[in-house]
Amino acid sequence: MIHAFRMQLRPGMTAQYRAAHDAVWPELVDLLHDAGISDYSIWHDADSNALFATLVLADQNQRDALPSHPVMQRWWAAMAPLMETNEDGSPCEWPLEQVFHLA
C-alpha cells in the first residue's frame, strides 16, 4: 500500500534537512525496512516549505510500533529543530489523498 503525506519544514532549515537525510543513519534505514517500509521518497516545495512524502507499506507492516523505538525517538529529536513536530516529538503529518495515478 502506498502512503502519502505532507510535513512542514521550518523556515531556513532546507540545507540542514537535506544534509541530515544525505547522511541518514544506517540503523534508521534498517529499522524502517524491518518495519515493512520501502520506496520512501520526500520532496520539498520551496514556495511553501512543505515536504511531500510517499512510502510503500508492506501488508504486514509494523509502522505503528516505530514511535516507541529508541532509534526513531533519537531521529525525531534530531529533526525537531528543523520541522514542525507534535508533543511526542514526531513530525506533524497530514495525509494526502491520491486523486490520479498513471501506471
Side-chain angles (χ1 to χ4, degrees):
M1 169 176 77
I2 297 174
H3 178 65
F5 55 98
R6 180 179 68 83
M7 298 175 287
Q8 191 62 44
L9 197 58
R10 296 186 193 282
M13 295 297 159
T14 305
Q16 295 91 325
Y17 188 83
R18 183 180 302 270
H21 285 78
D22 286 347
V24 68
W25 307 335
E27 62 268 31
L28 179 61
V29 171
D30 291 344
L31 177 66
L32 296 175
H33 284 153
D34 291 347
I37 295 172
S38 62
D39 295 320
Y40 192 167
S41 295
I42 302 172
W43 293 269
H44 177 243
D45 175 39
D47 291 337
S48 66
N49 238 12
L51 300 166
F52 299 91
T54 59
L55 54 86
V56 175
L57 290 169
D59 290 340
Q60 302 298 320
N61 71 81
Q62 290 84 41
R63 184 174 188 250
D64 292 341
L66 291 174
S68 63
H69 198 284
V71 171
M72 186 91 281
Q73 292 174 5
R74 281 191 297 119
W75 181 258
W76 287 349
M79 294 297 103
L82 310 180
M83 60 194 312
E84 292 183 17
T85 59
N86 296 304
E87 295 275 328
D88 67 355
S90 65
C92 292
E93 183 179 306
W94 297 269
L96 298 173
E97 178 184 353
Q98 184 178 26
V99 295
F100 177 77
H101 174 78
L102 177 66

